[in-house]
Amino acid sequence: MNDIQNQDDLYLLVDEFYKKLLADPSISYIFTDVVKIKILEHLPVLVTFWSQGVLGTGGYDRNLSQIHLDINKKEHLTPELFQIWLRHFYTTVDEHFKGIKAEKIKTQALSIATIMQIKIIKQKG
């Protein structure tokens, strides 16, 4: 199994990851009912985001924290939702990739989930 090497690998990763999320009724409603995500438009944005973090390509200019804080105002993003998200993310990475960048992207996903949960708690208080 190869490591993550380029944006094509990241596209495969996020595409397979979102298939898992959208097939899981315990979290899919966030994407289908709350956000009403347009997946074909969203995937390239996600590839740019992860490519910046893992491959150092740059180009992501959105405010990731604010996007999720705005979603949280519509539907509380619980710790359980973050755990489901992480489980599907880790599983997808492990099914397709092995190596330093694969481990890096999992570590970044955990960091993002942790930071988002802290910001959500601060938003409430």
Side-chain angles (χ1 to χ4, degrees):
M1 201 176 321
N2 292 327
D3 201 355
I4 297 167
Q5 298 175 23
N6 53 45
Q7 290 192 339
D8 289 341
D9 289 343
L10 290 170
Y11 192 92
L12 170 72
L13 173 62
V14 295
D15 187 41
E16 292 298 315
F17 171 54
Y18 269 78
K19 286 177 185 171
K20 285 180 176 33
L21 289 176
L22 294 172
D24 182 341
S26 66
I27 195 169
S28 63
Y29 71 95
I30 296 291
F31 303 96
T32 58
D33 300 339
V34 178
V35 179
K36 295 181 173 65
I37 196 167
K38 293 180 175 88
I39 195 68
L40 293 178
E41 294 174 18
H42 194 53
L43 288 178
V45 173
L46 292 168
V47 170
T48 301
F49 173 79
W50 288 112
S51 181
Q52 180 169 293
V54 177
L55 303 175
T57 55
Y60 185 84
D61 59 1
R62 299 181 184 194
N63 185 334
L64 183 69
S65 295
Q66 192 59 53
I67 291 167
H68 288 85
L69 290 173
D70 290 346
I71 294 167
N72 185 64
K73 288 177 186 172
K74 296 178 188 176
E75 179 73 27
H76 179 55
L77 299 177
T78 65
E80 293 76 20
L81 287 169
F82 282 99
Q83 288 305 312
I84 294 164
W85 184 88
L86 280 170
R87 186 181 73 242
H88 286 308
F89 193 84
Y90 290 172
T91 300
T92 308
V93 172
D94 292 342
E95 286 173 351
H96 297 279
F97 302 102
K98 183 175 182 157
I100 293 170
K101 289 181 179 145
E103 292 306 312
K104 181 178 180 179
I105 203 169
K106 290 191 294 185
T107 301
Q108 287 181 345
L110 176 60
S111 294
I112 291 165
T114 303
I115 290 165
M116 289 298 158
Q117 289 176 82
I118 291 167
K119 288 185 176 196
I120 285 168
I121 290 167
K122 286 184 177 181
Q123 182 183 51
K124 284 168 55 176

